[in-house]
Amino acid sequence: MTPALAAEGLVKAWGGLRAVDGVSFTLAPGEMLALIGPNGAGKSTCFNMLNGQIRPDAGRVRLAGRDVTGLPPRAIWRLGVGRTFQVTATFASMTVLDNVRMALLSHARRLLGLWRPAAREFTAEAEALLTRVGMADQAGRPCGVLAYGDLKRLELAMALANQPHLLLMDEPTAGMAPAERMALMAETAAVARAGGIAVLFTEHDMDVVFTHADRVLVLDGGRLIAGGAPEAVRADPRVRQVYLGGGPA
Amino acid sequence: MEDLAVQALNGLASASSLFLVASGLTVIFGVSRIVNFAHGSLFMLGAYLAWTLTGLGPLAGLGGLWSFWGAILLAALAVGALGALLEVTVLRRIYGAPELFQLLATFALVLIVQDVALFLWGPDDKFGPRAPLLRGAVEILGLRFPRYELFLIAVGPVVLGLLWLLFHRTRFGILLRAATQDREMVAALGVDQRLLFTGVFFLGATLAGLGGALQLPREAVTLHMDMAVIVEAFVVVVVGGLGSLPGAFLAALLIGELHAFGILVFPRITLVLVFLVMAVVLVLRPYGLLGRAPSGAPPASEVAAPLPAAMPPALRRAALAALALLVALPPFLGDYPLILLADFATFVLFAASLHFIMGPGGLASFGHAAYFGAGAYGAALLFRHFAAPMELGLLAAPFAAGLAGLLFGWFCVRLSGVYSAMLTLAFAQIAWSVAFQWIEVTGGDNGILGLWPSEWARGRLAFFYLSLALCGAAVLLLRRAIHAPFGMALRAQRDSGLRAEAIGIDAFRIRWLGFAFAAAMAGLAGALFAYGKGSVFPSVLGISRSVDALLMVLLGGVQTLNGPIVGAIAYAGLQEQLARVTDYWRLLLGLVILALVLFFPRGLAGAIRRGGSP
Amino acid sequence: MDRRLTTPHVRRRDLLAGIAIGTLAAPAVLRAQGGAGAGPIRIGEINSYTAQPAFLGPYRNGWLLAQEQINAAGGINGRPLETVFRDDAGKPEDAVRMASELVSAEKVALLAGGYLSNVGLALGDFAAQNKVLYAASEPLTDALVWSKGNRYTFRLRPSTYMQAAMLVEEAAKLPARRWATVAPNYEYGQSAVKWFRELLKAKRPDAEFVGEQFPALGRIDAGATVQALERMRPEAIFNVTFGTDLLNFVRQGNTRGLFDGRSVASMLSGEPEYLEPLGEECPEGWIVTGYPRDDLENPVHTAFREAYRKRYEAPPRCGSVVGHDIVQAIAATLRKAGGTDTEAMVAAFEGIRFQTAYGTGEVEFRAADHQSTLGAFVGRTRLEGRTGKMVDWRYADGANYLPSDAQVREWRPQG
């Protein structure tokens, strides 16, 4: 079976420093894969190469077998990849509902309408998506006033709007209280399973990672140093070394 | 060969003068983020004050040397003090206001200073004395070169050096540099920001005053100096990179030499040349030669302004009533009110089209008149060269302007903030220069005459209804578009480009199309305006018309739907009324604008709206 | 009143807000319905007062002086003249709007004014379109009476062509053959250069034009321009720059010795408007057109100069004469027409003769092209004391510097 996502030898250097140095992995459809590693390990750079934000110096990115290396983010989105950001990015001057509606309008390629109010488009679909992430009761609020956790949920709803096969979530629970983290990831996992969506996420909170990930990849110094089932990774001495400090392995 | 060397020296002398003004502008912008339109006025005041002080001031008795150089320094310091005073009394109150609102305030100052200078110094050009010790010329390579120009050539690098010392060797300077990079951090350090800002205005204004005063032995002092120098200074600052002193110096050299050699090679297009170079630099280096991409949040301080909701019912009724009056009343009006109302209709559409890209789009344009003019000239050229009737002209105008918008917009919308705005200005100036100087095709300054409406629309009443119908329809379309998917997409890319791209919105394409759409609407307004006047002149795409549009939108309020409508009528009406009452209408207009800026920071429509809700 | 505005639910503030928008246009409405009485004859005058204050202040003074004199002498058949002044701020499109206002709301009998050529052309076109008489006082462009001439437009001041022709007459006598030109880059500058070249070539086939400079109007880079001219090594220079450009050009030229050993022919530079700001910088021996105010002694001019000085505590300028003369021409026309019917005024204006304040005799508005035969003085500049003046001058009667009627008919749209 073709993997939902395949990274093949990704390399990115900033100046002389190789932030990502030959990373390869695959992600099966419906799988939840966590990418972990200490600060500066290259997680965000790696992530941004996958979603089109950064062009890799070498290596390829394949989506369901198709080479998407170097495509801009919007093209990658069109291929069925939803994204959430480490620092949330939403349309602050719009309501929650309108935010989701924008994603739906974009998915339907109906962005150039000049006359019919946008408010008449995709309202039911947007509400359904909000319901899926538990935000239905906040649909009418301006998203500038939302709590941080709710913004993350909103992002998830927007990410789901194009019926993605793959979700890329960069630190989906950063800045949230522990209880909220678990809740959000539980919802994400439920949504992903229900839709057969593959999820790649980075995460600092090890409890979240070991509770929800099917598989874990560990990045350090731009290289993958371990990967496998959560229990195996947790037991891996190299991982312990990286996380618990000490000299170089 | 000798000629060319001396010509290069000419370029250096102009470059020094330019640098003095531009350095003040860039220092002020760097710290306060204020685009100080009044900087040229400070320059002009420096020149006038120096003229007065050398001639009849208390220094005149001190004898040649002191009376001259003392006067230059005193004039510069006096202008510096005035700059500080303006900061304390006016600008300090509006730091929190949207970026462009500050532009409005400084523009009001320009108007005020123009009339105050006229009142104090009279209309005649003034010739200052030559500088003691630096009269006459020296022989350089067999050609006579003025001593004073040699002195000026030295002034530029000296001032740059002094500023460098100030910024690197004094506490005040180091704080200023820190504030340029991160305002919040300086505040966190417990530094009195107010003092810092007043200080930077004093410094910037002193540099402007010095620049003006030093022109005294070189150029006549005139009431037109302010606008002439501010445009050039903007070009220098933007080409160099906003906030960068070495950049400003480099750009001043570039522009100065370009002038000097440009007239040898292309004696007829010197005006365009400068703007062409600015356009090229900005296309290749979007943040100027030595500028850096702004870090942190974009400067558009209104990012989170919510989408305007439907009007409160009472206001809606009032608006409908006004519209009904506009339809019912005209048959009972005289010719002039009809002409005025037709004019207002075109201004409303012009302002609404600019508002479309400024409000939802988040793109400020300093050159929107280019598209107003493209529509007007589109119709006029069709008439002149193909005898096209009005109907065809009105149909073609939005396409002509839209095409111009597509062409220029492709460059402009790649940038953001002030850079993008300056690029729009550059293209507008290029368009203006073409209309002004390409006499064979456009008729040049003398314009294209005889562009009257078709027979059926020639009556004032018919033409008013035509204007009302077309402008009304176009404004309605613009308003619908704001709430339609396209307007929402425009707003989406303004709010968060990152997110827009992440949900498949091509932000560049949306901005580009939005720009062209607004241009097309402005073009329709321009063509109607031209048919109303019966003629087209380069002034329809001049800077002052662009500024008019900007003022209308800002006065009305950027983030309201009715802003452009209220703003256009208020501004055009005010101007019409004031010009009738007094020759000092600019002073009054400036004061009114200033009052509005200070008391209605959300614009007129915003104020009305708030007044209207419980 | 629309019913919806008076419903009781409307709060006062909403009402005020709504009305505030409406009232801006209201004064115009009231004025429009006011109408004019039978009393004074009203003239609408439009000029770029705030854009060109240095030239138009003295012009308006000359205008008002003439109007006062005419009214003191009993007006036009007992009706006094009254002028409504408007400032177009240098924008032709505003001038057109104001023309409509003056005609329809202020009920003026005719329009006058214009300093900038494009304002003049816009008003001329308006006049033709609306069948209103327009007496153009200052605009210089040839198009106003020739290629864009029309039945309703008349122009007083000697045009670009005429001024160039006057200078050519003197320039042709010079030994110089190699000429360079410098002119502001817009229609006036370009046509002045065109006529000068054409007319000089006709008189001096050996004349050669070795180069041209076209600085942007009001934005001359004087040092570089002077250097560029120097580089062409001309024997003589034809200058069209004026105002601030002229001042800066002359100062740089003096310092750099551009004018040493070279002849210069210069448009308009002998007018006090330009000589006075030049002060000590006034160059020596330029051939100029202008107005030798202080040395022009004849009964008519001396009386005008003294009356003006008494009234305004300043000497008149060239613009003052233009302002004065256009009122005289209008007054003569009104007397002859016997009323303010436009067609009658047009008929009367064609061929009308009046006394110019120069005191050089009668001036006529030619029926063929509606151009007046007002001339200018041609002479040389000289620095005396701290200001320049014109010397060796003579009056060049405009009638002698106009093309033939046949030529004019060819240029001017007929019918």
Side-chain angles (χ1 to χ4, degrees):
Chain A
M1 191 171 169
T2 321
L5 171 72
E8 300 171 1
L10 291 179
V11 175
K12 183 75 202 179
W14 302 116
L17 182 75
R18 291 198 149 198
V20 173
D21 191 4
V23 168
S24 303
F25 62 89
T26 58
L27 177 56
E31 186 183 20
M32 279 191 83
L33 177 63
L35 183 63
I36 65 168
N39 279 329
K43 292 191 304 277
S44 288
T45 307
C46 192
F47 225 84
N48 285 333
M49 282 190 282
L50 297 175
N51 63 34
Q53 203 101 328
I54 299 175
R55 203 190 165 90
D57 295 337
R60 315 242 55 107
V61 178
R62 290 183 200 281
L63 278 177
R66 175 173 175 179
D67 188 350
V68 298
T69 319
L71 288 186
R74 59 173 182 277
I76 289 181
W77 183 81
R78 292 246 172 251
L79 295 170
V81 179
R83 284 178 67 191
T84 66
F85 293 94
Q86 186 171 357
V87 178
T88 57
T90 54
F91 306 131
S93 73
M94 300 183 195
T95 62
V96 169
L97 189 70
D98 281 338
N99 268 270
V100 180
R101 197 197 317 271
M102 286 319 296
L104 290 163
L105 280 165
S106 173
H107 179 55
R109 295 183 182 269
R110 301 257 300 269
L111 287 172
L112 297 184
L114 288 174
W115 190 256
R116 212 172 116 89
R120 296 204 197 135
E121 313 271 2
F122 297 113
T123 304
E125 292 88 334
E127 279 169 351
L129 279 169
L130 287 173
T131 308
R132 275 169 81 185
V133 301
M135 288 281 292
D137 52 334
Q138 306 213 49
R141 297 184 73 195
C143 85
V145 305
L146 289 187
Y148 198 69
D150 290 341
L151 281 175
K152 291 275 188 187
R153 283 198 175 80
L154 171 58
E155 282 208 309
L156 180 58
M158 293 171 83
L160 293 172
N162 63 335
Q163 294 148 19
H165 314 296
L166 171 68
L167 281 180
L168 297 175
M169 306 177 80
D170 197 3
E171 308 229 356
T173 68
M176 297 169 86
E180 234 187 334
R181 291 179 180 186
M182 281 303 194
L184 181 74
M185 282 317 286
E187 284 162 23
T188 306
V191 165
R193 294 225 163 81
I197 303 170
V199 180
L200 175 68
F201 66 105
T202 62
E203 185 56 67
H204 272 297
D205 186 326
M206 288 307 131
D207 287 344
V208 170
V209 171
F210 294 118
T211 313
H212 294 292
D214 299 324
R215 196 154 58 93
V216 179
L217 294 174
V218 186
L219 202 60
D220 185 41
R223 290 166 183 273
L224 282 179
I225 56 166
E231 277 59 43
V233 168
R234 204 202 305 250
D236 191 315
R238 284 171 301 179
V239 178
R240 301 186 76 90
Q241 175 71 31
V242 164
Y243 271 88
L244 300 175
Chain B
M1 201 53 228
E2 291 81 6
D3 298 333
L4 295 183
V6 173
Q7 198 68 335
L9 288 181
N10 286 321
L12 289 179
S14 308
S16 266
S17 311
L18 267 177
F19 172 67
L20 284 187
V21 197
S23 62
L25 195 60
T26 209
V27 165
I28 289 180
F29 177 85
V31 174
S32 69
R33 299 281 156 206
I34 284 188
V35 177
N36 183 16
F37 226 94
H39 208 67
S41 309
L42 296 172
F43 172 87
M44 178 172 81
L45 284 177
Y48 269 112
L49 281 173
W51 180 83
T52 301
L53 290 170
T54 48
L56 24 106
L59 299 167
L62 292 174
L65 200 60
W66 278 109
S67 84
F68 180 83
W69 294 106
I72 299 284
L73 287 180
L74 203 60
L77 291 174
V79 173
L82 181 68
L85 185 71
L86 288 178
E87 196 275 337
V88 172
T89 51
V90 179
L91 298 170
R92 174 173 296 178
R93 294 165 198 275
I94 51 173
Y95 286 133
E99 191 179 48
L100 286 168
F101 235 66
Q102 298 154 351
L103 191 77
L104 194 59
T106 59
F107 185 75
L109 293 175
V110 171
L111 291 174
I112 292 169
V113 170
Q114 270 175 351
D115 268 354
V116 168
L118 174 63
F119 178 78
L120 289 178
W121 283 286
D124 272 339
D125 292 350
K126 309 281 186 232
F127 237 156
R130 294 185 177 231
L133 302 182
L134 296 172
R135 289 165 200 279
V138 290
E139 289 260 326
I140 296 180
L141 301 171
L143 290 168
R144 275 161 68 179
F145 193 79
R147 284 199 174 88
Y148 190 75
E149 309 268 308
L150 279 180
F151 163 75
L152 271 186
I153 291 176
V155 166
V158 167
V159 168
L160 179 64
L162 289 176
L163 286 173
W164 189 87
L165 286 177
L166 177 74
F167 280 107
H168 290 84
R169 294 282 182 271
T170 68
R171 183 178 146 74
F172 174 70
I174 290 167
L175 284 174
L176 279 188
R177 262 196 317 146
T180 307
Q181 270 149 27
D182 191 342
R183 245 199 283 189
E184 282 68 32
M185 189 194 76
V186 176
L189 287 176
V191 175
D192 185 351
Q193 262 201 321
R194 290 189 308 174
L195 211 60
L196 206 60
F197 277 38
T198 310
V200 85
F201 266 90
F202 176 79
L203 177 62
T206 304
L207 287 169
L210 183 65
L214 283 176
Q215 294 305 305
L216 198 58
R218 190 168 181 251
E219 277 184 19
V221 184
T222 80
L223 292 167
H224 302 291
M225 286 175 111
D226 51 352
M227 288 319 275
V229 82
I230 190 65
V231 174
E232 296 251 297
F234 270 144
V235 170
V236 167
V237 166
V238 168
V239 167
L242 282 167
S244 163
L245 273 175
F249 188 75
L250 209 61
L253 282 182
L254 179 68
I255 302 290
E257 293 297 343
L258 196 71
H259 266 306
F261 286 102
I263 66 169
L264 292 182
V265 188
F266 312 105
R268 281 173 184 256
I269 64 158
T270 44
L271 267 184
V272 198
L273 214 52
V274 172
F275 290 99
L276 274 179
V277 165
M278 172 156 110
V280 169
V281 167
L282 286 187
V283 168
L284 296 179
R285 291 193 59 93
Y287 299 102
L289 293 174
L290 298 184
R292 280 174 310 177
S295 54
S301 22
E302 280 199 291
V303 156
L307 188 71
M311 279 189 277
L315 204 58
R316 197 180 176 81
R317 279 196 294 273
L320 283 173
L323 194 61
L325 276 179
L326 272 180
V327 175
L329 209 55
F332 309 101
L333 294 177
D335 273 359
Y336 184 56
L338 286 175
I339 289 167
L340 215 53
L341 288 175
D343 270 8
F344 284 2
T346 61
F347 290 148
V348 165
L349 175 54
F350 184 32
S353 70
L354 176 61
H355 169 262
F356 185 74
I357 48 170
M358 269 177 78
L363 279 167
S365 170
F366 290 178
H368 203 51
Y371 314 103
F372 189 77
Y377 269 97
L381 289 173
L382 274 180
F383 161 77
R384 179 175 162 163
H385 299 287
F386 305 100
M390 177 188 78
E391 293 79 3
L392 191 61
L394 286 178
L395 200 65
F399 288 100
L403 272 178
L406 279 177
L407 180 67
F408 295 162
W410 192 80
F411 298 102
C412 298
V413 305
R414 289 174 178 272
L415 311 184
S416 60
V418 179
Y419 290 97
S420 157
M422 289 306 296
L423 202 52
T424 60
L425 173 70
F427 284 121
Q429 280 303 94
I430 291 168
W432 175 82
S433 306
V434 168
F436 191 73
Q437 298 185 334
W438 197 10
I439 292 169
E440 296 78 13
V441 172
T442 64
D445 189 44
N446 281 353
I448 296 172
L449 302 173
L451 188 71
W452 295 99
S454 298
E455 205 53 56
W456 62 269
R458 200 159 290 187
R460 299 295 181 201
L461 189 63
F463 191 76
F464 163 72
Y465 279 128
L466 176 69
S467 302
L468 182 68
L470 287 179
C471 293
V475 169
L476 185 65
L477 176 62
L478 282 164
R479 291 177 64 131
R480 297 277 306 207
I482 288 179
H483 290 279
F486 184 64
M488 295 293 280
L490 205 56
R491 175 175 289 270
Q493 62 78 29
R494 180 202 72 177
D495 280 4
S496 170
L498 192 64
R499 170 50 74 193
E501 290 280 335
I503 58 168
I505 298 178
D506 186 342
F508 167 77
R509 182 157 158 263
I510 292 288
R511 274 206 304 269
W512 187 33
L513 292 177
F515 194 88
F517 176 55
M521 293 296 110
L524 177 62
L528 272 171
F529 184 75
Y531 283 109
K533 302 298 167 206
S535 45
V536 182
F537 300 92
S539 50
V540 295
L541 30 72
I543 290 184
S544 76
R545 190 150 299 280
S546 290
V547 170
D548 281 352
L550 206 57
L551 290 178
M552 288 171 187
V553 172
L554 291 172
L555 268 184
V558 179
Q559 299 304 345
T560 58
L561 274 180
N562 292 317
I565 299 176
V566 177
I569 295 173
Y571 181 72
L574 205 60
Q575 213 175 22
E576 198 265 349
Q577 294 291 311
L578 290 179
R580 184 193 313 285
V581 178
T582 164
D583 274 358
Y584 287 104
W585 59 267
R586 287 178 301 199
L587 177 66
L588 284 179
L589 187 64
L591 289 172
V592 170
I593 294 175
L594 210 52
L596 287 172
V597 169
L598 291 178
F599 301 119
F600 299 105
R602 305 221 121 253
L604 281 175
I608 292 172
R609 195 183 181 88
R610 244 181 317 176
S613 53
Chain C
M1 179 119 205
D2 191 284
R3 168 179 302 173
R4 267 174 287 211
L5 266 183
T6 57
T7 50
H9 302 296
V10 179
R11 281 178 298 269
R12 196 173 140 268
R13 268 181 182 168
D14 299 331
L15 195 58
L16 286 178
I19 291 173
I21 300 165
T23 40
L24 282 164
V29 179
L30 293 177
R31 277 194 310 278
Q33 286 152 359
I41 298 177
R42 289 158 75 87
I43 306 172
E45 207 280 345
I46 301 170
N47 240 314
S48 311
Y49 289 105
T50 51
Q52 304 288 342
F55 310 111
L56 293 171
Y59 162 84
R60 179 155 54 181
N61 288 343
W63 177 294
L64 289 170
L65 181 67
Q67 178 175 298
E68 281 162 18
Q69 287 169 347
I70 288 165
N71 288 346
I76 310 296
N77 306 327
R79 294 174 70 184
L81 288 180
E82 190 181 296
T83 310
V84 188
F85 291 100
R86 289 286 181 262
D87 171 29
D88 61 47
K91 293 182 200 157
E93 57 271 26
D94 283 2
V96 172
R97 174 167 57 77
M98 285 160 179
S100 323
E101 187 238 349
L102 289 171
V103 171
S104 74
E106 298 289 350
K107 307 288 180 208
V108 299
L110 73 155
L111 294 170
Y115 170 83
L116 303 170
S117 288
N118 54 16
V119 170
L121 286 169
L123 289 176
D125 198 41
F126 173 89
Q129 197 63 30
N130 295 277
K131 300 193 171 23
V132 181
L133 176 62
Y134 167 47
S137 27
E138 301 227 40
L140 286 172
T141 183
D142 299 304
L144 192 59
V145 292
W146 295 340
S147 64
K148 301 284 176 195
N150 64 61
R151 172 172 169 74
Y152 297 92
T153 301
F154 294 79
R155 191 246 310 273
L156 174 68
R157 202 169 167 211
S159 65
T160 310
Y161 176 93
M162 295 161 78
Q163 306 253 4
M166 291 171 193
L167 286 175
V168 163
E169 191 178 30
E170 296 300 315
K173 296 176 190 161
L174 297 170
R177 287 188 308 110
R178 289 169 57 85
W179 285 82
T181 63
V182 52
N185 196 7
Y186 73 117
E187 197 271 349
Y188 164 63
Q190 295 189 12
S191 22
V193 168
K194 187 189 89 176
W195 287 130
F196 186 84
R197 289 173 78 130
E198 223 166 84
L199 296 172
L200 186 66
K201 281 269 193 189
K203 287 204 168 164
R204 283 283 299 270
D206 61 333
E208 184 190 350
F209 285 84
V210 295
E212 55 184 27
Q213 276 295 309
F214 280 102
L217 175 61
R219 309 277 290 280
I220 193 171
D221 188 342
T225 303
V226 165
Q227 210 75 58
L229 286 170
E230 180 73 58
R231 201 161 174 259
M232 301 166 192
R233 311 260 182 265
E235 290 163 10
I237 295 168
F238 174 58
N239 166 61
V240 194
T241 66
F242 60 95
T244 313
D245 290 336
L246 176 70
L247 298 184
N248 295 339
F249 175 62
V250 168
R251 178 165 268 191
Q252 287 286 349
N254 282 342
T255 314
R256 295 166 190 246
L258 176 67
F259 310 129
D260 295 354
R262 290 199 174 103
S263 307
V264 179
S266 186
M267 298 270 281
L268 308 180
S269 310
E271 296 183 354
E273 276 87 337
Y274 305 112
L275 278 182
E276 282 171 14
L278 269 172
E280 287 178 285
E281 295 284 341
C282 172
E284 287 282 337
W286 282 21
I287 302 166
V288 294
T289 56
Y291 167 38
R293 174 190 65 212
D294 299 322
D295 299 324
L296 179 59
E297 301 295 349
N298 63 53
V300 174
H301 179 257
T302 309
F304 164 75
R305 190 175 59 205
E306 291 321 307
Y308 187 99
R309 203 190 293 273
K310 209 167 133 214
R311 174 78 172 72
Y312 299 108
E313 289 170 354
R317 287 183 168 179
C318 200
S320 315
V321 174
V322 174
H324 176 273
D325 282 8
I326 193 76
V327 175
Q328 293 294 351
I330 290 168
T333 302
L334 287 169
R335 283 197 191 95
K336 188 168 151 202
T340 58
D341 172 64
T342 296
E343 296 304 324
M345 286 192 294
V346 167
F349 222 138
E350 292 189 337
I352 195 78
R353 303 175 74 83
F354 69 97
Q355 285 285 344
T356 161
Y358 284 149
T360 48
E362 280 200 328
V363 167
E364 179 191 342
F365 272 87
R366 310 198 320 166
D369 59 1
H370 296 189
Q371 168 68 43
S372 95
T373 61
L374 182 67
F377 296 84
V378 183
R380 295 194 179 242
T381 54
R382 178 183 296 164
L383 180 63
E384 273 188 12
R386 311 202 66 170
T387 51
K389 61 189 291 192
M390 274 177 83
V391 295
D392 303 332
W393 48 265
R394 63 182 174 79
Y395 180 67
D397 189 334
N400 303 330
Y401 299 91
L402 280 161
S404 67
D405 281 9
Q407 176 69 70
V408 165
R409 262 192 291 279
E410 193 180 304
W411 283 336
R412 196 174 150 90
Q414 300 298 313

